[in-house]
Amino acid sequence: MRASFKKPRATQERLLQDIIRTNKDTVYGRQFKLGDIKFLEDFSKKHPIADYSRYEQFVARVAKGQKNVMTTKRVTRLTKTSGTTGKSKLIPQEEYDVDQMLIVLEALQHELFPNVQPMQEMWKIHCNPTEASSEGGIPMAATTSLNPSMVKNMVIYTPPAAGKILSTLHEAFYVDLLFALRDKELSSSLVFFTSTLKEIIRFLDVHWRDLVEDLSSGSLNQELELDPDTRASLLKALGSGDTQRAIEVQNECEKGLDGIMKRLWPNMEFVSTIDLPGLRHSLKKSIAKGVEIYCSMYACSEGCPVGINFRPFDEGAPEFTLNPLRLIFEFIKVDDMEEPDPPTYFIDEVEVGQRYELLLSQIHGIYRFRFGDVIEVSGFHDNCPKVKVLYRKASLLSIFGEKVDQLVVTEAVDRSLIPWAGQITLLHFCVAESPLLEESRSSHYIIFLELKSENANTLPDDLTNEILSQDIHKGICHLHAVYQDCCDSGELAPAKVHITKPGAFVQLRDYILRNTGAARAQFKMPKKLRRADFVEVMLQNSMK
């Protein structure tokens, strides 16, 4: 991989030729004359920029079991996208891709954390997404989904194989923790999202007494809903009880959650994860004191890994070096995103400081695909771009074409809370556009904030919806001239803030998981609510 960073354009040209050679004689390849494409310049001229609608009919044929539709490679999975910003999509994939991702991740971790020895056991925190089969018998599941054949090779991860494929949250978290607590020498952990790490430690806080009992006696709580074979397999792997370790765990859990990870696992060096919610710094100040929270890679269902973070200890937003070996990248400047046929730039044509919408092409039959991420080029690793992920295009606010991105809203929200610094913490926020609601009389942004008081059970008396509405509205006006023009003209009314009840965003998450195709293991809290029923859930969970 490192050699490709020196000549990324040449690497991309070779990858394109490999893709064309592999797929030119497929149904899609013949219909759209992929065989006529020789170089990247041809590619951008002869194949249109595409969204998922272009591929849907071909994916449907793959799902029916037809061969050589999009790729001559064997499709062993139809990967479901998270569905957080819209309907889940199905992307052809091989299980090999997931294996390769883990190999790259493990190699990088051993390079960055030399104290963690090769083959030293890691804690994999995981609740396995449920898997269905297509009409043609192809598994349909999230990128994070594991099957029995995959987990056989994951010998360095605890829990054992039977525990890695549990698909109910309570049972998965309980087994994950029981086997992790048994091993005091654990030095690292792998979890897909920081929010899951936070969630499982909260689970520990509630259930540690049962876990201590099982750890001491070598048993599995009878209330766990496990089939007999799984229970027997886990009990065999658990072995006899460990009374001394159980006492150690009890003593540490009784002290509370502050610094709990390092106290339970003194050799724990890092957690490899993805930090979409921005929890890294708060976790390092609370449950993970003394443990590095390492945002290892930039990944998506359409291609993985998109990029690698080679500087895990840097403060601020992580920077990812793009992976030119696996994906072909093109870039659309943010100012051109709404053009019907925007110009694109290749990997050697981007500029530091410029913001782009990212396009992906890959060997399983997805080409010049607009998957929705907006990035900023922050520098170069050798000659390969390093990027920061800014926001999803689907999260733009634009009632009258003003196009306010989430960076603007985030800064306005942060500024509005400065007067209460040290008194409150912002846990979550999201935004919606009022035209979603039929009863709305004016067009405005609706902003939901979940806040936590640091020094009391209630929020400060002077912290009100009205004050925050005024301050956030002024902040967006200051940061975004077009928004201010829309407000001055009367098209947009001032933004309205709703402070939510505690746990409102948990209610939102659970509602989305129940009512969409979103997978729990891949769930990302949306910054923009795009459905009226989502907005209603938040309104019902807002303070009056």
Side-chain angles (χ1 to χ4, degrees), residues 98-117:
V98 178
D99 294 338
Q100 288 299 299
M101 178 187 73
L102 291 174
I103 289 170
V104 171
L105 186 59
E106 289 166 13
L108 182 63
Q109 287 168 353
H110 291 312
E111 179 180 312
L112 294 170
F113 301 94
N115 290 336
V116 178
Q117 299 301 312

Side-chain angles (χ1 to χ4, degrees), residues 259-276:
I260 185 71
M261 293 187 69
K262 199 70 172 176
R263 289 189 282 110
L264 288 172
W265 301 283
N267 297 321
M268 181 73 69
E269 286 212 19
F270 71 89
V271 177
S272 177
T273 185
I274 297 171
D275 189 28
L276 291 171

Side-chain angles (χ1 to χ4, degrees), residues 7-209:
K7 296 182 178 180
R9 176 63 179 259
T11 302
Q12 298 269 273
E13 294 282 6
R14 288 194 296 272
L15 177 58
L16 174 66
Q17 290 165 13
D18 185 34
I19 291 172
I20 298 300
R21 186 168 51 252
T22 302
N23 294 337
K24 65 182 180 180
D25 292 324
T26 61
V27 173
Y28 185 95
R30 289 191 298 268
Q31 182 172 335
F32 294 102
K33 300 180 179 178
L34 292 185
D36 293 344
I37 296 170
K38 307 299 181 185
F39 305 102
L40 288 172
E41 291 291 346
D42 296 337
F43 190 39
S44 64
K45 293 173 182 175
K46 295 180 179 180
H47 192 289
I49 293 170
D51 59 20
Y52 188 69
S53 62
R54 181 179 182 86
Y55 301 106
E56 204 158 7
Q57 61 173 305
F58 298 98
V59 173
R61 294 176 65 173
V62 174
K64 290 179 180 178
Q66 295 182 27
K67 308 296 184 184
N68 298 332
V69 176
M70 300 173 71
T71 180
T72 59
K73 284 185 168 289
R74 180 168 170 257
V75 176
T76 58
R77 172 185 290 186
L78 290 169
T79 297
K80 294 173 65 176
T81 62
S82 66
T84 305
T85 58
K87 182 182 177 182
S88 288
K89 306 171 184 66
L90 295 174
I91 307 295
Q93 191 187 54
E94 287 180 283
E95 290 175 3
Y96 170 82
D97 296 337
V98 178
D99 294 338
Q100 288 299 299
M101 178 187 73
L102 291 174
I103 289 170
V104 171
L105 186 59
E106 289 166 13
L108 182 63
Q109 287 168 353
H110 291 312
E111 179 180 312
L112 294 170
F113 301 94
N115 290 336
V116 178
Q117 299 301 312
M119 299 304 295
Q120 190 169 352
E121 195 169 53
M122 294 178 66
W123 178 24
K124 184 167 179 25
I125 302 169
H126 184 64
C127 177
N128 206 38
T130 54
E131 186 175 285
S133 291
S134 71
E135 183 180 342
I138 300 174
M140 300 187 300
T143 305
T144 55
S145 180
L146 304 174
N147 62 39
S149 66
M150 295 167 70
V151 299
K152 286 180 182 177
N153 298 322
M154 301 175 68
V155 294
I156 67 168
Y157 297 99
T158 189
K164 292 184 180 77
I165 54 177
L166 296 174
S167 59
T168 52
L169 189 67
H170 183 90
E171 281 68 26
F173 274 8
Y174 193 96
V175 171
D176 282 355
L177 281 164
L178 182 59
F179 280 87
L181 291 169
R182 186 185 64 161
D183 187 354
K184 185 178 180 179
E185 303 305 317
L186 285 178
S187 60
S188 58
S189 175
L190 173 63
V191 58
F192 280 103
F193 298 112
T194 49
S195 53
T196 306
L197 176 63
K198 184 176 182 179
E199 199 171 349
I200 198 170
I201 297 300
R202 285 178 175 171
F203 185 95
L204 171 65
D205 193 36
V206 174
H207 297 283
W208 66 262
R209 292 172 181 83

Side-chain angles (χ1 to χ4, degrees), residues 5 8 319 321 347-353 377-387:
F5 298 151
E319 295 180 317
T321 302
I347 199 165
D348 60 333
E349 298 173 335
V350 294
E351 301 173 9
V352 173
V377 176
S378 55
F380 291 90
H381 185 119
D382 291 334
N383 297 311
C384 197
K386 295 188 297 184
V387 304

